[in-house]
């Protein structure tokens, strides 16, 4: 999200929205950097060829009939949740495809959500609604349409409970056609039951934005905390997933408390120590490093698919008493300051750091950590974003292969004894 979106839902979006006394303004609202990409030819074709081009107009019509802030909240939560379920159903083969775009595609969800956020930003109700209340509605829409508020883990000792997270497409100014295999895998795995020698494992998933501000506001912690706390539906394993390097998977051994500043989907940069949001459990003082508890040796040894899987132990650190960063292939040294985890210094590293930091804060003793997928590439005759097609057989096959291998890696995780 951009800085103009002051997301305020740091209470798991559970509180009702109160009617405000500040009237809605009539001024034009400037679309966000992400929303401005929506009108390009490729996003419109993706929406049209999946049937998701109707999502934002339908949502705008629903908003037009709203007569109170409480009703607005109900509509936003309902329509946001519907979009997530529709995207999951399409990827998993339920219901109509809506067009000829491959069902495994994660991009219709991303672009349809942006159409909805733009409609919500432009909506001018006939009753008082402050910009703060509109921001709360936006948070509810984001959470619902990402599966963040619907992690439905079963209770009982007969089944394991696993949470997997993915990401939106990113680097879209370089190529607006891009997909993110981690998001595609999340859609493919949501609600699935894996069969392992240790018994069945239920998988629930969510997708996260590629935006620094959302992470600083606590979107990761507020999504994971309810399933990390003690209780009958507490997770038995978790795995954050993102797109990483060309031609390989990486199990990231160590995560660092550093943001390296690469621009996000909102064209915003952040270079700083990872900020921990107020109001969530966290170790003090804040550690520079966290470590995976995924069964990395078993994952690397397993035959999970065609891509090699590496146990990535490297980091970049400033050694204790020094001022210059150095690369450490075997992990950090005592007292060092983080400059990059195994997964780098972008939001892939940050979601892994935040999830494992929260794990440690609440005393969760389960397998958990980060998996980087190979880069999803278009076919060799379709690499130019200026003239290329939105999809091709190689592109689809690569995404399906990556998703299948993510599932195989997750099955290894699920088979880890309690």
């Amino acid at each position: 999200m951009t800085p103009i979106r002051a997301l305020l839902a740091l209470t798991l979006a559970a509180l009702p929205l109160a009617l405000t006394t500040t009237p809605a303004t009539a001024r034009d609202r400037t679309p966000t950097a992400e929303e401005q990409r929506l009108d390009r030819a490729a996003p419109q074709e993706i929406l049209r060829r999946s049937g998701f081009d109707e999502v934002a107009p339908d949502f705008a019509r629903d908003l037009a009939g709203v007569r109170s802030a409480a009703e607005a909240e109900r509509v936003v939560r309902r329509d946001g949740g519907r979009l997530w379920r529709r995207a999951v159903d399409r990827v998993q083969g339920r219901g109509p495809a809506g067009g000829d775009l491959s069902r495994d595609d994660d991009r219709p969800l991303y672009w349809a959500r942006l159409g909805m956020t733009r409609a919500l930003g432009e909506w001018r109700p006939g009753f008082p609604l402050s910009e703060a209340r509109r921001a709360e509605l936006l948070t509810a829409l984001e959470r619902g349409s990402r599966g963040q508020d619907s992690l439905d883990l079963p209770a009982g000792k007969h089944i394991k409970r696993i949470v997997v997270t993915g990401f939106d497409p990113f680097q879209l100014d370089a190529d607006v056609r891009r997909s993110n295999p981690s998001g595609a895998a999340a859609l493919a795995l949501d609600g699935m039951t894996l069969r392992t020698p240790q018994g069945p494992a239920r998988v629930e998933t969510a997708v996260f934005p590629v935006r620094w501000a959302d992470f600083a506001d606590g979107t990761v912690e507020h999504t994971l905390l309810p399933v990390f706390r003690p209780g009958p539906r507490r997770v038995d394993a978790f795995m954050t997933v993102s797109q990483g390097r060309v031609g390989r998977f990486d199990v990231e051994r160590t995560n660092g408390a550093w943001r390296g500043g690469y621009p996000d989907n909102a064209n915003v940069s952040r270079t700083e120590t990872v900020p921990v949001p107020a109001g969530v459990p966290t170790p003090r003082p804040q550690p520079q490093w966290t470590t995976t508890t995924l069964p990395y040796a078993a994952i690397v040894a397993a035959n999970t698919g065609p891509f090699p899987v590496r146990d990535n132990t490297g980091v970049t650190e400033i050694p204790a008493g020094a001022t210059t960063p150095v690369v450490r292939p075997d992990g950090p040294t005592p007292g060092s300051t983080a400059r990059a985890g195994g997964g780098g210094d972008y939001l892939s590293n940050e979601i892994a750091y935040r999830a494992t930091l929260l794990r440690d804060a609440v005393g969760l003793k389960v397998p958990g950590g980060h998996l980087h997928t190979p880069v999803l590439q278009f076919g060799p005759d379709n690499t130019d974003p200026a003239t290329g097609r939105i999809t091709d057989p190689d592109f689809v096959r690569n995404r399906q292969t990556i998703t299948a291998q993510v599932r195989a890696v997750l099955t290894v995780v699920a088979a880890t004894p309690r």
Side-chain angles (χ1 to χ4, degrees), residues 260-297:
Y262 190 83
D264 63 10
N265 276 355
N267 293 334
V268 173
S269 298
R270 290 288 183 268
T271 305
E272 59 190 351
T273 298
V274 170
V276 177
V280 298
T282 192
R284 297 293 184 191
Q286 181 179 350
Q288 288 293 301
W289 308 101
T290 64
T291 304
T292 189
T293 47
L294 290 174
Y296 51 84

Side-chain angles (χ1 to χ4, degrees), residues 47-217:
L47 290 171
R48 186 171 61 254
R49 292 177 60 181
S50 62
F52 278 53
D53 54 342
E54 66 191 31
V55 170
D58 285 351
F59 178 57
R61 281 191 289 272
D62 289 344
L63 287 176
V66 166
R67 296 294 177 263
S68 70
E71 185 182 0
E73 181 186 10
R74 290 192 295 271
V75 167
V76 165
R77 292 188 187 279
R78 181 196 68 198
D79 287 13
R82 282 178 177 173
L83 176 59
W84 173 253
R85 291 189 297 273
R86 178 173 175 176
V88 169
D89 286 347
R90 186 177 192 275
V91 168
Q92 295 184 11
R94 292 185 291 271
D100 66 347
L101 195 66
S102 174
R103 275 188 177 266
D104 63 286
D105 206 312
D106 60 303
R107 297 173 295 176
L109 171 63
Y110 176 71
W111 294 112
R113 181 191 303 113
L114 287 174
M116 293 177 74
T117 64
R118 186 165 68 178
L120 180 58
E122 294 173 348
W123 174 51
R124 293 294 173 249
F127 56 88
L129 186 75
S130 73
E131 290 307 302
R133 291 296 182 262
R134 190 187 300 271
E136 290 180 337
L137 289 171
L138 176 61
T139 297
L141 175 59
E142 287 273 355
R143 288 180 57 78
S145 63
R146 295 180 176 282
Q148 294 176 4
D149 62 359
S150 56
L151 297 177
D152 186 20
L153 294 171
K157 296 181 179 180
H158 66 288
I159 191 168
K160 284 190 173 182
R161 293 164 288 274
I162 302 178
V163 167
V164 175
T165 68
F167 273 104
D168 288 347
F170 65 109
Q171 295 179 325
L172 297 169
D173 286 331
D175 190 345
V176 77
R177 304 174 300 159
R178 282 181 169 143
S179 163
N180 194 320
S182 69
L187 291 171
L189 288 166
D190 188 53
M192 290 290 181
T193 298
L194 305 178
R195 304 294 173 181
T196 81
Q198 298 294 324
R202 170 68 173 269
V203 182
E204 289 288 311
T205 71
V207 172
F208 285 90
V210 183
R211 297 186 299 238
W212 296 110
D214 294 61
F215 277 55
D217 285 345

Side-chain angles (χ1 to χ4, degrees), residues 11-25:
T11 58
L12 300 176
L15 297 178
L17 301 179
L19 188 64
T20 72
T21 57
T22 304
T25 63

